[in-house]
Amino acid sequence: MSPSDTPMSPLLPTTTNDFLYHATFPDCEETIRQAGIIPSVDRVVYLSNRPEYAAGFIRIRNGFRLLGVIDVATPTGDTEKTYDIHQSSQAVVCTILAGLLDEAKLSVHKEEEEPSGFYPPDLVSFKYSATINPNAILSFDRFKLKPFTGDSFL
């Protein structure tokens, strides 16, 4: 069987009309519009099958984004390193035309085990191992993030 004859997973999008969704922070939107969605430090772009689920992944981080490590002055006049963290009450969700992605770089991502009922039963998340071209992004929508209490995904 050649690679082109290999059947796709039933969870992967199969037509050019299928959409996937990626959530990010509002301050990243302009960069994405110009350069696309660039893989994170683990070399993948995380995607979801529904926009509210994509936003949910930002929500479970309490809207926190690590910007880097900075030096701060201590009361004794010394400096110490700390995390530069930004918190947002919104997520920007990008709607992506799945048919414009390279199927060979798209795979289903298995979520870590959580208590039963934490993730919605129809949640499917994906990993994409390349930059998503801005031309594949159809829209940018804002979602307000509810505070994360730890008891459920949404």
Side-chain angles (χ1 to χ4, degrees):
M1 182 181 288
S2 73
S4 62
D5 295 331
T6 304
M8 287 184 61
S9 163
L11 296 177
L12 292 177
T14 57
T15 72
T16 56
N17 294 324
D18 287 333
F19 301 106
L20 292 173
Y21 304 90
H22 173 77
T24 190
F25 295 94
D27 60 331
C28 298
E29 183 177 345
E30 191 55 39
T31 300
I32 290 173
R33 285 181 183 276
Q34 299 201 11
I37 305 171
I38 300 167
S40 61
V41 294
D42 54 356
R43 298 184 179 144
V44 295
V45 174
Y46 290 97
L47 304 165
S48 186
N49 61 319
R50 294 181 53 179
E52 64 272 24
Y53 296 166
F57 287 108
I58 298 289
R59 181 178 169 262
I60 63 176
R61 292 168 54 185
N62 280 325
F64 286 113
R65 176 176 175 221
L66 178 63
L67 299 176
V69 178
I70 57 173
D71 290 324
V72 295
T74 66
T76 63
D78 296 328
T79 61
E80 62 182 36
K81 298 207 178 290
T82 190
Y83 295 107
D84 184 9
I85 295 176
H86 169 75
Q87 185 175 19
S88 179
S89 61
Q90 292 184 344
V92 172
V93 176
C94 308
T95 301
I96 299 159
L97 186 57
L100 297 180
L101 301 180
D102 181 346
E103 289 181 13
K105 296 177 181 176
L106 184 67
S107 62
V108 175
H109 173 64
K110 178 74 175 141
E111 297 305 326
E112 294 180 22
E113 293 299 318
E114 291 290 344
S116 177
F118 181 80
Y119 289 115
D122 62 335
L123 167 70
V124 183
S125 62
F126 303 89
K127 295 189 292 186
Y128 189 69
S129 60
T131 296
I132 296 175
N133 188 299
N135 295 333
I137 302 169
L138 300 179
S139 66
F140 293 81
D141 299 295
R142 291 189 183 250
F143 281 68
K144 184 173 170 74
L145 298 176
K146 298 184 303 186
F148 181 63
T149 59
D151 57 346
S152 70
F153 182 69
L154 295 177

